[in-house]
Amino acid sequence: KKPPVYNFEMHKVLFSKGECPIYFEHYKTIKDKLRKDGQGQYGYSFSDEDFYVYLTAHTQKHYMFSGVGLRFLMDAYVFLTAKEKNLDWDYIAAELQALGILAFEKQARELAMKLFSEHALESVPSLTEEEQEMFLYFAESGTYGTMKKRVQNRLQELQPEGAGFTRASRWKYLKKRLFPEMEWFQNCYPFLARHKILIPFFLAGRMVRGILFRREFIKDEFKAVKKAEKEP
């Protein structure tokens, strides 16, 4: 953390193979997209185009997982206000198309420009029905999403064709939370992935720590699973 509000968050992977297979494959050879940053030995960065594509992909991942707050729309507006005229939009469109998020980016960009432009400060911006739905989703998601949206979206993945969430899908969700798949260990605890015999002891300790130190969080998640309803 860097006062007053700037946070650096280190990631072992940009995208999980299980949760985001298309993104994972796209960024698996990320070094091909990086360019030397200054004269230092270790500094590399994205081009403005690749940065914007990654920003959009990262946001869409959170958007589909548990929601994401209005901060992205503001970030997109500030970035595009400064950079839009000099960006290679043909390249950006091709990258977004490859990731399957071309329509998401277009709708989010247009929404951001409507909400934060100088004209919007003078009057209430006119939003389409789709833009109103997206705006409400952003506005109701807090900063990093909500437990309700997270549970809702995960249950949706477990039962995409069902008319409603069944007891079986709820138990399947809870089972995955209690007993994570091996990819989770590979990403978060590679030592345990290499020494699988230790995983049962880790899981037992994890449950005890959860009961002792994260009781309210666990209670909220159970309530969200119990009350979850399938979106129309």
Side-chain angles (χ1 to χ4, degrees), residues 97-112:
Q97 184 70 43
L99 292 169
I101 55 175
L102 185 61
F104 173 83
E105 183 279 332
K106 181 177 183 295
Q107 187 177 2
R109 169 165 44 89
E110 292 177 352
L111 176 60

Side-chain angles (χ1 to χ4, degrees), residues 16-231:
S16 166
K17 184 177 182 180
E19 293 177 351
C20 311
I22 295 177
Y23 295 173
F24 177 83
E25 290 297 326
H26 189 81
Y27 286 100
K28 187 166 60 175
T29 55
I30 191 173
K31 289 183 179 180
D32 296 339
K33 296 182 178 297
L34 299 178
R35 60 186 186 182
K36 201 72 182 294
D37 187 8
Q39 300 300 317
Q41 181 179 356
Y42 303 106
Y44 288 83
S45 63
F46 280 135
S47 66
D48 287 340
E49 288 80 4
D50 281 320
F51 173 80
Y52 181 68
V53 171
Y54 171 72
L55 172 66
T56 304
H58 182 80
T59 298
Q60 197 272 347
K61 181 197 77 169
H62 284 287
Y63 186 89
M64 297 302 295
F65 188 72
S66 59
V68 62
L70 291 168
R71 182 177 60 181
F72 163 72
L73 296 177
M74 186 176 292
D75 287 346
Y77 173 77
V78 171
F79 179 82
L80 291 173
T81 299
K83 304 281 188 177
E84 184 174 15
K85 294 180 181 179
N86 297 318
L87 295 176
D88 182 347
W89 282 99
D90 289 337
Y91 173 81
I92 290 175
E95 291 289 286
L96 294 171
Q97 184 70 43
L99 292 169
I101 55 175
L102 185 61
F104 173 83
E105 183 279 332
K106 181 177 183 295
Q107 187 177 2
R109 169 165 44 89
E110 292 177 352
L111 176 60
M113 300 313 255
K114 284 186 178 182
L115 289 176
F116 299 110
S117 66
E118 292 183 7
H119 176 71
L121 298 177
E122 301 172 359
S123 61
V124 178
S126 177
L127 304 181
T128 66
E129 183 176 345
E130 291 77 13
E131 288 171 341
Q132 290 180 32
E133 291 179 0
M134 175 176 269
F135 171 71
L136 287 175
Y137 190 86
F138 274 106
E140 295 173 352
S141 294
T143 303
Y144 300 108
T146 65
M147 179 64 72
K148 178 182 177 181
K149 294 184 186 300
R150 173 181 176 176
V151 169
Q152 190 94 8
N153 293 337
R154 297 291 71 72
L155 285 172
Q156 182 72 53
E157 291 177 357
L158 296 174
Q159 190 176 315
E161 302 298 332
F165 297 133
T166 65
R167 181 177 296 180
S169 63
R170 287 179 166 88
W171 277 113
K172 188 174 182 180
Y173 170 88
L174 293 173
K175 180 181 178 182
K176 291 187 71 172
R177 292 287 288 129
L178 290 171
F179 305 101
E181 296 176 348
M182 188 53 60
E183 185 198 0
W184 183 80
F185 289 101
Q186 292 169 346
N187 290 335
C188 300
Y189 297 95
F191 178 83
L192 293 175
R194 295 192 299 270
H195 303 85
K196 298 179 180 60
I197 193 172
L198 299 176
I199 288 179
F201 302 99
F202 168 82
L203 292 177
R206 181 170 176 250
M207 293 178 188
V208 172
R209 290 197 309 274
I211 294 172
L212 293 177
F213 304 111
R214 304 191 72 193
R215 190 176 304 170
E216 291 303 316
F217 179 89
I218 294 172
K219 187 186 298 183
D220 290 343
E221 186 167 6
F222 271 98
K223 286 181 180 178
V225 173
K226 184 178 180 180
K227 295 180 179 180
E229 295 181 1
K230 192 176 180 66
E231 295 286 355

